[in-house]
Amino acid sequence: MIGEGILSTNQRKHTYVRDQRTVGFYTDPTLCIGCKACEVACKEWNDVPDDGFRWSGNSYDHTDALGASTWRHVLFIEQDQPRGRQLAGPMSGDLLSDLTEHEDPFRWLFLSDVCKHCEEAGCLEACPTGSIIRTETQTVLVQNDICNGCGYCVVGCPFGVIDRRKKPLKDAGGAFKCTFCYDRQASGLVPACAKACPTESILFGPLDELRPHAAKRVEQLKAAGYPDAQNYDPVDTSVKGIHAFFLILGNPEAYGLPAKPEIPTIHLKASWTSAFLTAFGALGLSLLAFAFLK
Amino acid sequence: MPKPDRDPAFERRLDELRQEAKTQGRVEGRGVDIAGSPLPIAAVKNGPNGHGPNHRGKPGLERAVQSGADKPGYFGMPVIKPPVWTWEIPIYFFIGGLCGMAAVIALAATVFGQPEIVRAAMWIAAFGGVASPVLLIMDLGRPLLFFNMLRVFKLRSAMSMGVYILTPYGMTAIPGAMAVELAHWHLLPDGLWSTLLHLVAVTLTFAAGLSGMLLATYTGVLIGATAVPAWNRHRSLLPLHFGTAGMGSAVGLLGLFGYTLRPLAAIFWVTVAVETILWLWLMFRRHGPADRALHEGLSGHLLMPAEILSGPLSLVLVSVGWMQAAAVAFMLGSLLSRFGWVQAGKQSSKDPEAVFASQR
Ligand code: SF4
Ligand code: SF4
Ligand code: SF4
């Protein structure tokens, strides 16, 4: 069902919410053309405010990073490695000689980054208001009428996705991130970004279909001469995998992705132990001091 | 939540966007900045990165945007988001520590019959019971929704646990101080009522002491159990550090108010010694990029002097017997150190190398 043109899960209506089926995104930079249709679609559907322009100087990327008012972000990565038939530099016009002679060790990759909808989500665990919930499709959703803007989810996310929106943008003070288009999904529609994607670089579908598809895709690319193709889905860390996962060429770090992301709750045990020992130590110290010194 | 009224038109809009992307190769829209850029390849120079001709002897390419090549991660962009907290939070950490531990002193002084100390300490504790929630609420993005914190009880969220430490603390420290004060003035005739008042005062003081000792230390967990490298690297040290600083500040403040009993001086000695050891630990057990924010940049310049103030400098001052000066140095150091730690968190989360070093 995945990646089959008109029948693709990216275009047809679905009932995943009603069926409580776990959904995901598989984003493939080898298909991405860097058009930013996903960014535009996301902003328009979700009415995400314009957060201003900053000339970054980072390739074609002036969006900078994911944030409270940027829920899709197309990375433009420049690397000193050849990428198949991608041409760069001066060309003679004769395609064949360009391909054989002018190919330089340079590749320009695009990857549409998004909230990972973690299996174990740091933001969700951190939220003290219960504003962040897991939906029927196992995505992570911020209920904005409940969030009081404490900002604890911001330091709970190991991927730097969720952020508190600054004034003077609308709804400032609350935390925002990709909703996985929960509203659209609830009425059977495909997330706006995936639907607008012209190359199906953003592939939407049930996670149990996406994962085998992703494994096949990596094999395919390796056979086609991309030895450094791999899927980025940290299933063996405390995050236990992500529902919006990626194909990457090369190191995850180049995409701003930590190689082994950990959910911050793994630190709780050591930290609370220290807190209780200190607390009772302080109590004991005070009692002893007053007991023995007058 | 569904917006079906927008569906048909919007679905057409999505098709349009997809079509535009297919034909133009790029899509522009409100708030999405594409508007051109330096080309990825600027000029034809000598070889990749200007290192001479490439392996085929052809003129190579020079990267226009050199910035990306030599920066860690994705153009050196932060990998995780910096904490959004402003000045209220470090002051809250300081006041919560000081006042929470003052309640512990009040508890011990109650047990061993030091009514004057109980009174002074409970006043300090009550001040914390008022100031802490005010500071915490001021820092919220939406202060009016503060009470949504009480919707859930989450063991896995230190912020949620903090609310359930702070709330009982405030609810016992404030009336506790009042009860202690009333009992002190002997307004009620001796007999049942005054005994009852005394009992209430003791109970509230105990409860304030028990919640106060956690108020002073949980803040270390709050920042220790996050994705921020400089913080989670010190997840065990932070509660000890914050609690010790709170205790030292509490007895220091009591000392400045003129309560200089030997038990208080002894407690102060211990806290100063512990703070000195923690300072040495931070100085000599460095963790490379992961916690370099503690030593470098603005946060380093704030944090290390602060740790010296409440550690070795206070130790020197108490050793020569200048208790008041030591108390001032200790409290100032603790306050600055809370700002330093929050700043270190901001600096460290903007440092991709720190994040990669701690998450690999
Ligand atoms: S990527 Fe961050 S914001 Fe998204 S679900 Fe995971 S922890 Fe939450
Ligand atoms: S800012 Fe909002 S969503 Fe984030 S943890 Fe606080 S209450 Fe929850
Ligand atoms: S799923 Fe929806 S909210 Fe999330 S990035 Fe795509 S369009 Fe935006």
Side-chain angles (χ1 to χ4, degrees), chain A residues 35 44 48 57 59 61 66 80 101 103 124 126-127 129 144 146 149 152 155 184 195 267 271 274, chain B residues 11 13 18 27 30 33 37 54 56 63 65 74 81 85 141-142 148 151 154 156-157 222 227 235-236:
Chain A
C35 67
E44 291 191 4
V48 182
S59 199
D61 177 12
L66 292 173
D80 295 325
E101 292 178 23
E103 192 186 321
L124 189 153
C127 178
T129 63
N144 224 263
I146 292 172
Y152 201 43
V155 284
R184 292 175 60 82
K195 186 157 186 187
H267 305 298
S271 207
S274 164
Chain B
E11 295 321 291
R13 170 73 180 140
R18 199 166 69 250
V27 172
R30 172 187 55 85
D33 313 311
S37 164
N54 66 15
R56 274 161 289 168
R63 303 277 297 280
V65 187
Y74 178 66
K81 290 271 173 289
W85 299 327
R142 294 167 173 166
N148 280 354
R151 284 176 80 235
K154 273 168 102 171
R156 298 240 290 164
S157 165
L222 184 73
R235 63 199 179 187
S236 300

Side-chain angles (χ1 to χ4, degrees), chain A residues 123-124 126-132 142-144 146-154 162-164 173-176, chain B residues 84 140-142 148-149 154 157 159:
Chain A
C123 62
L124 189 153
C127 178
T129 63
S131 147
I132 305 184
V142 186
Q143 306 173 89
N144 224 263
I146 292 172
C147 166
N148 66 12
C150 71
Y152 201 43
C153 52
V154 176
I162 193 166
D163 203 0
R164 196 162 87 176
F176 289 88
Chain B
V84 291
L140 293 180
R142 294 167 173 166
N148 280 354
M149 294 260 198
K154 273 168 102 171
S157 165
M159 183 69 97

Side-chain angles (χ1 to χ4, degrees), chain B residues 127-287:
Chain B
F127 170 76
V130 177
S132 302
V134 170
L135 288 165
L136 205 58
I137 291 173
M138 276 170 73
D139 189 66
L140 293 180
R142 294 167 173 166
L144 293 178
L145 297 186
F146 171 74
F147 287 103
N148 280 354
M149 294 260 198
L150 301 172
R151 284 176 80 235
V152 289
F153 179 87
K154 273 168 102 171
L155 283 172
R156 298 240 290 164
S157 165
M159 183 69 97
S160 177
M161 285 303 96
V163 172
Y164 293 100
I165 291 169
L166 183 57
T167 311
Y169 174 78
M171 279 164 34
T172 52
I174 301 167
M178 291 176 184
V180 167
E181 194 67 9
L182 282 179
H184 169 77
W185 290 105
H186 295 292
L187 293 179
L188 298 178
D190 277 356
L192 178 66
W193 286 111
S194 86
T195 316
L196 216 56
L197 178 65
H198 191 71
L199 213 65
V200 168
V202 169
T203 313
L204 288 175
T205 306
F206 266 67
L210 292 177
S211 47
M213 69 187 195
L214 290 176
L215 178 65
T217 51
Y218 100 89
T219 46
V221 184
L222 184 73
I223 67 170
T226 62
V228 178
W231 288 349
N232 68 34
R233 178 66 49 172
H234 296 287
R235 63 199 179 187
S236 300
L237 178 141
L238 280 165
L240 172 62
H241 183 26
F242 285 12
T244 310
M247 183 51 103
S249 304
V251 287
L253 189 62
L254 283 169
L256 291 181
F257 287 157
Y259 300 92
T260 47
L261 289 187
R262 279 176 65 215
L264 295 182
I267 296 172
F268 191 63
W269 264 103
V270 174
T271 57
V272 169
V274 174
E275 286 285 88
T276 310
I277 294 169
L278 292 183
W279 168 72
L280 285 171
W281 178 269
L282 287 174
M283 283 300 290
F284 295 110
R285 273 295 296 253
R286 300 200 183 185
H287 299 270

Side-chain angles (χ1 to χ4, degrees), chain A residues 11 33 35-37 39-41 43-45 47-50 52-53 55 57-62 64 66-67 73 75-78 80 88-90 100-106 108 120 124-130 144-152 154-155 157-160 162-164 171-174 176 182-184 189 192 195-198 253-254 256-262 264-265 267-268 270-272 274-276 278-280 282-283 285-287 289-291 293-294, chain B residues 1-3 6-7 10-11 13-15 17-18 21-22 25-41 44 48-49 54-56 58-61 63 65 67 73-75 77 79-85 101 104-105 107-109 111-112 114 117 139-143 145-146 148-149 151-152 154-161 165 210 213-214 217-218 220-228 231-232 235-236 239-240 243-244 247 262-264 266-267 270 356 359-360:
Chain A
Q11 301 301 330
I33 58 168
C35 67
K36 300 204 189 196
E39 281 191 32
V40 176
K43 282 231 171 190
E44 291 191 4
W45 171 261
D47 258 335
V48 182
D50 183 350
F53 179 80
W55 184 271
N58 301 339
S59 199
Y60 268 38
D61 177 12
H62 304 294
D64 274 345
L66 292 173
H73 166 219
L75 302 158
F76 287 68
I77 292 152
E78 303 178 4
D80 295 325
T100 49
E101 292 178 23
H102 288 281
E103 192 186 321
D104 265 286
F106 173 80
W108 204 23
E120 293 284 330
L124 189 153
E125 296 297 345
C127 178
T129 63
N144 224 263
D145 48 342
I146 292 172
C147 166
N148 66 12
C150 71
Y152 201 43
V154 176
V155 284
C157 170
F159 298 102
I162 193 166
D163 203 0
R164 196 162 87 176
D171 297 329
F176 289 88
Y182 181 70
D183 48 354
R184 292 175 60 82
L189 297 169
K195 186 157 186 187
C197 179
E253 279 89 354
L257 298 167
K260 289 253 181 299
E262 301 282 1
T265 47
H267 305 298
L268 280 175
S271 207
W272 275 119
S274 164
F276 274 96
T278 309
F280 283 101
L283 182 65
L285 172 69
S286 319
L287 289 171
F290 278 96
L293 302 165
K294 275 277 147 49
Chain B
M1 240 184 149
K3 295 171 254 183
R6 285 171 60 185
D7 280 0
F10 195 81
E11 295 321 291
R13 170 73 180 140
L14 287 179
D15 290 338
L17 284 175
R18 199 166 69 250
K22 270 187 188 155
R26 55 184 240 184
V27 172
E28 288 177 38
R30 172 187 55 85
V32 177
D33 313 311
I34 187 162
S37 164
L39 283 167
I41 312 295
V44 184
N49 296 329
N54 66 15
H55 59 286
R56 274 161 289 168
K58 297 269 172 194
L61 308 167
R63 303 277 297 280
V65 187
S67 56
Y74 178 66
F75 295 105
M77 294 291 289
V79 173
I80 58 169
K81 290 271 173 289
V84 291
W85 299 327
M101 284 303 190
V104 178
I105 304 279
L107 189 162
V111 173
F112 294 100
Q114 297 281 358
I117 305 252
D139 189 66
L140 293 180
R142 294 167 173 166
L145 297 186
F146 171 74
N148 280 354
M149 294 260 198
R151 284 176 80 235
V152 289
K154 273 168 102 171
L155 283 172
R156 298 240 290 164
S157 165
M159 183 69 97
S160 177
M161 285 303 96
I165 291 169
L210 292 177
M213 69 187 195
L214 290 176
T217 51
Y218 100 89
V221 184
L222 184 73
I223 67 170
T226 62
V228 178
W231 288 349
N232 68 34
R235 63 199 179 187
S236 300
L240 172 62
T244 310
M247 183 51 103
R262 279 176 65 215
L264 295 182
I267 296 172
V270 174
F356 293 146
Q359 300 201 338
R360 75 162 79 246

